[in-house]
C-alpha cells in the first residue's frame, strides 16, 4: 500500500501528465472533444465495473490504531499518568529559592526628613533528609507508572477485541443479508411453482397462500438484515474513522483454531495471575497500602538540611538630619552580607485529630482495594472459563451445524422431489427451506463467535497481541466465491433461482388473483 502523501502526489502527477497544454486545449475541435468525452465515459464505466479490492482485518486494525478515539484517549492518559514519578521524585531533591527586593523608605518629622533606598537578594537551599510522606509518595509514583503501563496495555488489547468484534459483526450481518437473499430467491421459486400449479389446477390456493406468506416473511428478514448491516458498518466506522467498504470474508473450509494449551485449568491459572484487571487492582491495593503508610508520617519528625545567604545594600540619599539627631535609620548604611547553614528538625505534636482520621480513611480504602482485587480475580477466572468453553463448545457446534446443513440440504431436495411427485405438500418444502436458512445463519454466527471467543480467551490471560490477528487474517479471503457462509448456498441454489417469478402480471410479494 502506498503512503497517502505519495499516492496523492502520484495522482496529481498522473492528472498533470494527462492534461494537454493550454494552446492545444484551445484549438480542440468538436470532434476531438466528442472523442475525449466518449473515452472518458468508457474509462468511467470500466473503472466503475472493476471490483474494489476487499479490506482485510489487519488493514483496518492498522487504521484503527491511529484513528480510534478511545486508544488515543488511553495514550494521552498514559502520557499524563507517567509524570507522577518525576513529580514525586522532585519532593526528595533539593529545593532552591532566590529572592530579590528593592525598597525606597521616607522618614519625616516636622521640618526634618530623610529618604533612602535599600536593595538586597537572598538564596535559600533546602535538602530533605527524612520525609516519610515524600518517600512513600515516590514509591506511589513508581506504582502509578506501572499502573499506567498496564492500563494502556489493556487499552491496546481492548482495541484488538473491538476491531475484531466489529469486523466479524459486519461479516455476520453480510452473511445474514446474503443468506436472506438466497432464501428469498428459493421461496420466490417455490411461490412461482405454487401459483403455476394453482393456475393449471394441480394445487389449491392454500399452497399459493402459504408460499406467499413465506415470501413476505423472507422479504421482511432481508430488510431487517440490511438494516443490521448498515448499523454495524456505522459502528465499525466509529472505530476506524471512516466508512468501511468490502471486507475479506472467512474462507470456505477454514480450520478454526483450537485453544493452546487445550486445558481450562492452565488458562484459569494464567488469568488469575496475569489478567490486566487483576494487575491494575493489585497495583491499586499496593498504592492504598502506601497511602496508609504515608498517613503515619503525621506522627514522625521531618529533617531538612537548610542553607541560606543574603546580601543587602542601604544608601542614604537627600539627608537633612541635624547633627544633634541620632537615629538608627541614619546609621549602618552601606552593603552587608550574611549566610547560614544547618539542620532543621520539625516534630508534629498535635494536629487536631486529623492524623487519626486520615489513618481510618486510608485503612478503609485499603480494605476496599483488597475486595476489588478479589472480585477482579474472580472475574478473570470467570472470563477465562467462559471464553474457553466458548471456543471448545463453539468448535463442536460448528461441526454439528455443518452436518445439520448437509442434512437440511438433503431435506430440501427430498421435499422438492416429493412435492413434484405429489407425496409432499408445499408447506413441507417451505419448512425445509426455513430450516436450511436458519441452519446456515446459525453456522455462520457460530464460526464468528468461536473466533471471537479464542481472542477473548487470550485477552483474559493477557496474552492477546497483534500476531493473533495475523493468524485470523490468514483465514480470510478476498474472493467472494470462496466465502464459507455462502459456499453451500451457491452449490444448492440453482443457477436460475433468482429468475423464477410468480405468475405473469403478479408482482413479487402479492397474491395472484383467483380465476373464476
Amino acid at each position: 500500500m502506498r503512503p497517502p502523501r505519495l499516492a496523492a502526489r502520484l495522482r496529481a502527477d498522473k492528472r498533470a501528465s494527462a492534461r494537454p497544454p493550454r494552446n492545444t486545449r484551445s484549438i480542440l475541435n468538436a470532434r476531438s472533444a466528442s472523442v475525449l468525452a466518449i473515452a472518458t465515459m468508457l474509462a468511467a464505466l470500466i473503472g466503475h465495473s472493476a471490483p474494489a479490492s476487499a479490506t482485510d482485518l489487519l488493514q483496518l486494525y492498522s487504521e484503527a490504531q491511529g484513528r480510534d478515539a478511545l486508544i488515543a484517549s488511553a495514550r494521552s492518559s498514559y502520557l499524563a499518568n507517567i509524570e507522577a514519578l518525576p513529580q514525586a521524585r522532585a519532593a526528595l531533591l533539593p529545593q532552591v529559592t532566590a529572592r530579590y527586593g528593592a525598597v525606597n523608605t521616607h522618614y519625616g518629622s516636622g521640618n526634618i526628613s530623610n529618604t533612602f533606598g535599600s536593595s538586597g537578594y537572598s538564596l535559600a537551599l533546602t535538602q530533605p533528609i527524612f520525609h516519610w510522606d515524600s518517600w512513600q509518595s515516590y514509591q506511589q509514583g513508581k506504582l502509578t507508572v506501572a499502573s499506567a503501563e498496564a492500563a494502556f496495555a489493556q487499552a491496546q488489547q481492548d482495541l484488538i477485541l473491538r476491531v475484531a468484534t466489529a469486523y466479524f459483526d459486519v461479516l455476520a450481518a453480510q452473511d445474514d443479508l446474503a443468506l436472506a437473499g438466497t432464501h428469498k430467491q428459493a421461496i420466490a421459486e417455490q411461490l412461482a411453482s405454487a401459483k403455476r400449479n394453482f393456475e393449471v389446477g394441480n394445487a389449491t390456493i392454500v399452497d399459493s397462500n402459504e408460499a406467499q406468506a413465506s415470501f413476505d416473511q423472507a422479504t421482511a428478514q432481508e430488510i431487517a438484515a440490511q438494516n443490521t448491516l448498515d448499523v454495524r458498518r456505522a459502528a465499525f466506522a466509529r472505530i476506524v474513522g471512516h466508512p468501511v467498504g468490502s471486507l475479506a470474508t472467512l474462507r470456505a473450509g477454514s480450520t478454526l483454531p483450537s485453544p493452546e494449551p487445550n486445558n481450562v485449568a492452565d488458562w484459569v491459572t494464567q488469568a488469575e495471575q496475569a489478567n490486566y484487571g487483576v494487575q491494575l487492582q493489585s497495583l491499586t491495593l499496593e498504592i492504598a497500602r502506601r497511602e496508609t503508610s504515608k498517613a503515619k508520617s503525621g506522627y514522625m519528625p521531618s529533617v531538612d538540611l537548610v542553607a541560606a545567604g543574603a546580601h543587602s545594600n542601604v544608601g542614604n540619599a537627600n539627608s537633612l538630619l541635624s547633627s544633634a539627631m541620632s537615629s538608627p535609620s541614619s546609621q549602618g548604611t552601606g552593603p552587608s552580607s550574611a549566610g547560614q547553614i544547618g539542620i532543621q528538625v520539625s516534630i508534629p505534636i498535635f494536629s487536631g485529630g486529623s492524623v487519626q482520621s486520615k489513618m481510618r480513611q486510608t485503612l478503609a480504602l485499603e480494605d476496599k482495594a483488597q475486595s476489588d482485587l478479589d472480585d477482579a480475580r474472580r472475574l478473570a477466572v470467570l472470563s477465562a472459563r467462559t471464553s474457553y468453553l466458548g471456543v471448545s463448545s463453539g468448535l463442536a457446534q460448528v461441526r454439528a451445524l455443518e452436518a445439520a446443513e448437509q442434512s437440511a440440504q438433503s431435506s430440501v431436495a427430498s421435499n422438492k422431489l416429493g412435492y413434484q411427485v405429489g407425496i409432499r405438500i408445499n408447506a413441507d418444502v417451505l419448512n425445509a427451506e426455513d430450516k436450511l436458512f436458519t441452519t446456515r445463519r446459525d453456522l455462520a454466527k457460530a464460526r464468528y463467535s468461536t473466533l471471537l471467543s479464542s481472542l477473548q480467551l487470550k485477552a483474559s490471560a493477557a496474552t492477546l497481541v497483534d500476531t493473533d490477528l495475523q493468524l485470523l487474517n490468514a483465514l480470510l479471503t478476498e474472493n467472494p466465491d470462496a466465502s464459507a457462509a455462502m459456499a453451500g448456498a451457491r452449490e444448492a441454489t440453482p443457477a436460475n433461482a433468482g429468475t423464477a417469478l410468480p405468475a405473469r402480471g403478479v408482482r413479487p410479494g402479492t397474491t395472484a388473483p383467483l380465476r373464476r
Side-chain angles (χ1 to χ4, degrees), residues 268-447:
V268 167
T269 302
Q270 175 72 10
E272 195 173 11
Q273 298 174 356
N275 181 270
Y276 282 123
V278 175
Q279 293 185 38
L280 288 172
Q281 289 301 329
S282 298
L283 292 169
T284 301
L285 175 59
E286 187 61 28
I287 291 175
R289 289 172 177 169
R290 295 286 181 177
E291 191 68 24
T292 301
S293 181
K294 185 166 64 175
K296 297 178 182 179
S297 64
Y299 300 116
M300 299 179 182
S302 59
V303 182
D304 298 293
L305 171 67
V306 294
H311 178 81
S312 62
N313 187 15
V314 180
N316 190 356
N318 190 21
S319 177
L320 299 177
L321 294 174
S322 63
S323 59
M325 182 178 180
S326 177
S327 172
S329 61
S330 63
Q331 298 180 4
T333 60
S336 63
S337 299
Q340 62 181 8
I341 186 171
I343 299 295
Q344 178 177 296
V345 180
S346 299
I347 302 176
I349 297 178
F350 181 70
S351 58
S354 64
V355 177
Q356 293 83 350
S357 176
K358 184 69 174 177
M359 286 288 296
R360 293 192 296 270
Q361 181 186 36
T362 55
L363 287 173
L365 293 176
E366 188 177 332
D367 293 339
K368 176 183 179 302
Q370 180 64 60
S371 300
D372 291 342
L373 175 59
D374 294 339
D375 182 67
R377 285 174 176 162
R378 295 171 186 173
L379 182 61
V381 170
L382 175 61
S383 178
R385 289 186 180 276
T386 302
S387 300
Y388 182 85
L389 293 175
V391 177
S392 57
S393 63
L395 292 173
Q397 186 179 16
V398 166
R399 290 191 293 268
L401 287 172
E402 288 174 345
E405 181 187 19
Q406 296 179 358
S407 300
Q409 288 178 353
S410 300
S411 176
V412 170
S414 300
N415 279 278
K416 283 185 176 181
L417 180 60
Y419 178 69
Q420 293 174 358
V421 299
I423 62 175
R424 282 287 186 269
I425 61 176
N426 194 39
D428 296 331
V429 179
L430 296 176
N431 290 334
E433 290 283 2
D434 288 338
K435 290 180 180 179
L436 178 59
F437 166 70
T438 302
T439 302
R440 285 173 174 163
R441 184 182 58 187
D442 293 343
L443 176 58
K445 290 182 178 179
R447 289 192 180 107

Side-chain angles (χ1 to χ4, degrees), residues 113-188:
S113 64
N114 185 28
T115 300
F116 60 94
S118 62
S119 62
Y121 58 86
S122 64
L123 187 66
L125 180 144
T126 302
Q127 170 60 60
I129 297 178
F130 180 79
H131 279 258
W132 185 250
D133 55 342
S134 298
W135 176 254
Q136 294 301 321
S137 296
Y138 174 64
Q139 299 299 323
Q140 284 180 323
K142 293 181 179 180
L143 296 172
T144 301
V145 171
S147 179
E149 292 173 350
F152 185 60
Q154 186 179 39
Q156 291 176 314
Q157 188 173 258
D158 290 343
L159 177 63
I160 296 176
L161 285 176
R162 288 189 292 112
V163 170
T165 300
Y167 189 94
F168 290 125
D169 281 348
V170 172
L171 288 189
Q174 288 182 170
D175 292 344
D176 281 351
L177 180 59
L179 290 172
T182 303
H183 179 57
K184 181 181 175 181
Q185 289 177 358
I187 298 300

